Protein backbone atom coordinates (compact mmCIF):
# COMPACT_ATOMS: atom_id res chain seq x y z
CA UNK A 1 0.00 0.00 0.00
CA UNK A 2 1.37 3.42 -0.95
CA UNK A 3 1.48 6.34 1.47
CA UNK A 4 -1.42 8.04 -0.35
CA UNK A 5 -3.48 4.83 -0.30
CA UNK A 6 -2.83 4.54 3.45
CA UNK A 7 -3.90 8.18 4.01
CA UNK A 8 -7.09 7.74 2.02
CA UNK A 9 -7.86 4.38 3.66
CA UNK A 10 -7.42 5.98 7.09
CA UNK A 11 -9.75 8.82 6.09
CA UNK A 12 -12.37 6.36 4.82
CA UNK A 13 -12.15 4.23 7.95
CA UNK A 14 -12.54 7.27 10.20
CA UNK A 15 -15.30 8.96 8.19
CA UNK A 16 -17.40 5.81 7.92
CA UNK A 17 -16.52 4.34 11.34
CA UNK A 18 -15.38 1.09 9.75
CA UNK A 19 -14.00 -1.62 11.98
CA UNK A 20 -11.14 -2.46 9.62
CA UNK A 21 -7.50 -1.88 10.57
CA UNK A 22 -5.78 0.26 7.94
CA UNK A 23 -3.22 -2.52 7.34
CA UNK A 24 -6.07 -4.88 6.39
CA UNK A 25 -7.71 -2.47 3.96
CA UNK A 26 -7.10 -4.17 0.62
CA UNK A 27 -6.18 -1.53 -2.00
CA UNK A 28 -7.47 -3.78 -4.80
CA UNK A 29 -10.79 -4.76 -3.21
CA UNK A 30 -13.96 -3.11 -4.51
CA UNK A 31 -15.03 -0.20 -2.32
CA UNK A 32 -18.68 -0.66 -3.21
CA UNK A 33 -20.48 -3.79 -2.11
CA UNK A 34 -19.84 -6.86 -0.03
CA UNK A 35 -16.29 -6.68 1.31
CA UNK A 36 -16.70 -3.47 3.28
CA UNK A 37 -20.48 -3.20 3.11
CA UNK A 38 -20.34 0.25 1.55
CA UNK A 39 -23.22 1.69 -0.44
CA UNK A 40 -23.93 4.79 -2.52
CA UNK A 41 -24.36 6.98 0.57
CA UNK A 42 -20.92 5.89 1.75
CA UNK A 43 -19.48 6.78 -1.67
CA UNK A 44 -20.89 10.28 -1.25
CA UNK A 45 -19.23 10.57 2.14
CA UNK A 46 -15.92 9.39 0.66
CA UNK A 47 -16.28 12.00 -2.10
CA UNK A 48 -16.77 14.72 0.54
CA UNK A 49 -13.70 13.58 2.48
CA UNK A 50 -11.54 13.43 -0.65
CA UNK A 51 -12.73 16.85 -1.76
CA UNK A 52 -12.03 18.42 1.62
CA UNK A 53 -8.62 16.83 2.10
CA UNK A 54 -7.20 16.81 -1.43
CA UNK A 55 -9.27 19.34 -3.37
CA UNK A 56 -10.46 16.67 -5.80
CA UNK A 57 -14.12 16.94 -6.69
CA UNK A 58 -15.92 13.73 -7.60
CA UNK A 59 -19.26 14.24 -9.29
CA UNK A 60 -21.99 11.63 -9.59
CA UNK A 61 -22.77 12.67 -13.16
CA UNK A 62 -19.15 12.12 -14.24
CA UNK A 63 -18.64 8.74 -15.94
CA UNK A 64 -15.05 8.62 -14.71
CA UNK A 65 -16.23 8.85 -11.09
CA UNK A 66 -17.76 5.39 -11.34
CA UNK A 67 -14.35 3.98 -12.23
CA UNK A 68 -12.66 5.94 -9.45
CA UNK A 69 -14.64 4.08 -6.78
CA UNK A 70 -13.78 0.60 -8.06
CA UNK A 71 -11.03 0.28 -5.43
CA UNK A 72 -8.86 2.21 -3.01
CA UNK A 73 -6.02 1.99 -5.54
CA UNK A 74 -8.18 3.49 -8.31
CA UNK A 75 -9.28 6.28 -5.98
CA UNK A 76 -5.70 7.02 -4.88
CA UNK A 77 -4.52 7.08 -8.50
CA UNK A 78 -7.26 9.55 -9.39
CA UNK A 79 -6.44 11.74 -6.38
CA UNK A 80 -2.72 11.70 -7.24
CA UNK A 81 -3.52 12.92 -10.78
CA UNK A 82 -5.98 15.64 -9.76
CA UNK A 83 -5.06 16.84 -6.28
CA UNK A 84 -4.62 20.51 -5.55
CA UNK A 85 -3.46 20.24 -1.94
Amino acid sequence: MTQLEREIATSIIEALSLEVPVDEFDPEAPLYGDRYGLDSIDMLEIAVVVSARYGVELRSDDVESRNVFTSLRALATHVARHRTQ
Side-chain angles (χ1 to χ4, degrees):
M1 184 181 304
T2 69
Q3 180 61 33
L4 181 57
E5 289 170 348
R6 180 176 291 284
E7 286 177 18
I8 294 171
T10 299
S11 295
I12 291 170
I13 290 166
E14 290 173 358
L16 302 178
S17 301
L18 298 178
E19 294 183 16
V20 177
V22 71
D23 292 330
E24 292 179 23
F25 204 105
D26 181 356
E28 295 292 331
L31 289 177
Y32 191 84
D34 295 335
R35 175 119 188 208
Y36 300 110
L38 304 182
D39 59 21
S40 58
I41 301 299
D42 296 320
M43 296 305 117
L44 289 173
E45 184 65 31
I46 292 170
V48 168
V49 168
V50 167
S51 177
R53 182 154 186 184
Y54 301 103
V56 176
E57 187 175 330
L58 300 167
R59 297 177 35 179
S60 61
D61 61 344
D62 183 355
V63 174
E64 186 179 350
S65 289
R66 284 185 234 150
N67 296 328
V68 169
F69 288 112
T70 57
S71 68
L72 172 61
R73 182 146 296 147
L75 178 58
T77 299
H78 182 80
V79 168
R81 274 193 243 134
H82 297 86
R83 74 194 290 175
T84 60
Q85 300 175 8

